[in-house]
Amino acid sequence: MHQGRLVTMLGTVLLLDVLRVFLPSLITLFGQAGSTSPELMGAYALAWFLVPFVFVGLSRRVAPLALALGAGALLAVGRVGLQFTQGGDPQMYLSSALVGVGAVWLVCTAVATAADGRLTAHGVMVGVVAGTAASAAIHAALGTVDLVWREGVLAWSAALVVPVAFLLLAARTWRTAPGDAAPTRARAWLALGPLLFLAGLYTANPAVAETVGGTSYAAAALSVVAVLSVALAVSPRRFTPNPLLPLAVLLAAFTTLWLAPQLPHDVPGTLPAWTLAALLLGQLALASCAGWATVGTPESDAPDAPVSPIRTGLLASAGLLLFVVLVFAFYAAYDLHMPNEYVPFAALALLTTAVLPRTRGAAAGPNQRWTHQVIAVAAAVTLVATVTAPLLRTGGPPLDPTPHPAPTGSGWPPTTCAWGSGWTAASRSPNRPRSCANSTPTSSP
């Protein structure tokens, strides 16, 4: 159902919003900018991503959709509250709690696909891809300075749009009559962690595109491609013959991004402008992989059919737990001086596990022509918004397009702070977490 895609898309935008507050708050407030041990920081972050496991057990007694929409409502209300925090501990603890609530929402949404026909597995995965694309477009239009870092009535009013839309659509979803469940293989939900990690680190990160391309138009291009990539998630069979092709494209893209800084060019250790193509192709391939993970319904003789809601929830929870593990494995290069070049490839390996092997005989999906037309219109709107926004914007810190050398020993420039970058506005207020961009600059402005 289209409303399942839309409510998941809006929920994903909210989750990414709070993640972009949680991660810098974790590093600069909880971590005291390096004075707190990485082990303690990691344990604190992991604790919030363990919360969904509790709710998977609770879904035996309470309808999974009720848990999902209830957690989503708390996430929406909390996101509004986050706008009114003035930094410091209130911001850190509220964003932390909201990350836990958001993880519960996404996991219970996945569980609901195996127990309640009001949401389909493929529709939810498409919604996650659409949410990352919408978040990228909004982030680019705002100059990678999110609304949460902005003051004034206009910013606070704009911050209400997505939460209110989510609450309205969630209420409509709840009132819809239940139908037959349309689940997918439980293992497919392991893709959630790698999907969010790789999209946030590179392929749907406007700040990385803008830094690599040296212009805001690069961020606009990435945002438009991210929106168009939703079509590949909706109908992966229409654009790719099998999931091996997008997996191979991802491997080539990440290999390029790994080796390019080592090639001789103007500023050694940075990504040259031509690697923007790897980001764009990588996003298209990543969305296609997400679509392949959930397209079709498993057969009765498939290894993990019939699909168990509990198993679905456990693997979805594990997928999100993998997200935070991947983030900290990557961040270890900057605190513990450990190599991190392998982390994107490890994420790709985990994604491959979720996508392959395909179940046999999955039926072709319905005609998605109308959906593709909507995506094309959304891409056009994104192009206009992200190209004109820099011309209309008069405030906010400009991006310094000058590349900086990467930290020694790391072939992958971005830090944890590059994940969903745009946090430099935090330095405007002494009470808010300072941007990590000052300490490890490459992908962050």
Side-chain angles (χ1 to χ4, degrees), residues 41-362:
M41 290 172 57
Y44 178 80
L46 280 172
W48 296 106
F49 283 88
L50 290 173
V51 174
F53 286 96
V54 177
F55 283 82
V56 171
L58 186 60
S59 67
R60 292 178 181 270
R61 298 180 177 273
V62 182
L65 186 60
L67 292 174
L69 297 182
L74 287 176
L75 176 63
V77 173
R79 170 60 187 89
V80 175
L82 193 61
Q83 191 70 27
F84 294 91
T85 60
Q86 294 301 311
D89 287 346
Q91 176 183 275
M92 181 184 70
Y93 289 118
L94 179 56
S95 64
S96 300
L98 289 177
V99 164
V101 170
V104 169
W105 161 76
L106 187 51
V107 167
C108 289
T109 298
V111 175
T113 65
D116 192 314
R118 283 173 284 190
L119 298 176
T120 67
H122 189 59
V124 168
M125 189 63 82
V126 169
V128 173
V129 174
T132 60
S135 182
I138 295 170
H139 202 47
L142 292 172
T144 68
V145 180
D146 283 338
L147 290 172
V148 73
W149 306 122
R150 297 174 183 265
E151 303 288 346
V153 175
L154 183 60
W156 294 340
S157 300
L160 290 172
V161 174
V162 175
V164 170
F166 176 87
L167 291 172
L168 293 174
L169 200 53
R172 181 179 176 182
T173 301
W174 179 253
R175 291 194 299 266
T176 302
D180 294 333
T184 188
R185 301 168 306 151
R187 188 174 67 250
W189 296 108
L190 285 173
L192 288 176
L195 170 62
L196 293 175
F197 173 76
L198 294 173
L201 183 69
Y202 267 123
T203 65
N205 190 330
V208 172
E210 191 166 353
T211 303
V212 170
T215 171
S216 61
Y217 295 119
L222 182 135
S223 300
V224 172
V225 169
V227 173
L228 290 174
S229 73
V230 179
L232 279 75
V234 170
S235 307
R237 288 193 183 92
R238 179 174 179 177
F239 298 98
T240 53
N242 57 62
L244 295 177
L245 177 59
L247 287 170
V249 171
L250 273 178
L251 178 60
F254 293 144
T255 302
T256 300
L257 294 172
W258 169 43
L259 295 177
Q262 305 173 34
L263 300 177
H265 60 283
D266 293 342
V267 184
T270 64
L271 290 171
W274 59 265
T275 57
L276 179 64
L279 298 181
L280 304 182
L281 291 174
Q283 174 58 26
L284 294 172
L286 184 61
S288 182
C289 288
W292 275 110
T294 56
V295 71
T297 303
E299 297 178 337
S300 58
D301 61 345
D304 53 355
V307 176
S308 163
I310 298 301
R311 189 164 185 259
T312 294
L314 290 175
L315 290 178
S317 299
L320 287 182
L321 194 62
L322 287 172
F323 165 76
V324 73
V325 171
L326 290 168
V327 167
F328 272 89
F330 198 89
Y331 176 69
Y334 301 90
D335 246 16
L336 303 179
H337 308 291
M338 297 174 62
N340 67 355
E341 294 91 342
Y342 71 94
V343 179
F345 296 100
L348 179 57
L350 292 169
L351 183 64
T352 302
T353 300
V355 173
L356 299 176
R358 294 296 311 144
T359 52
R360 294 173 294 162

Side-chain angles (χ1 to χ4, degrees), residues 363-394:
N367 191 310
Q368 300 288 351
R369 181 177 179 181
W370 183 83
T371 301
H372 292 155
Q373 291 173 348
V374 171
I375 293 171
V377 172
V381 172
T382 299
L383 176 62
V384 173
T386 54
V387 168
T388 59
L391 304 177
L392 301 176
R393 196 163 44 240
T394 57

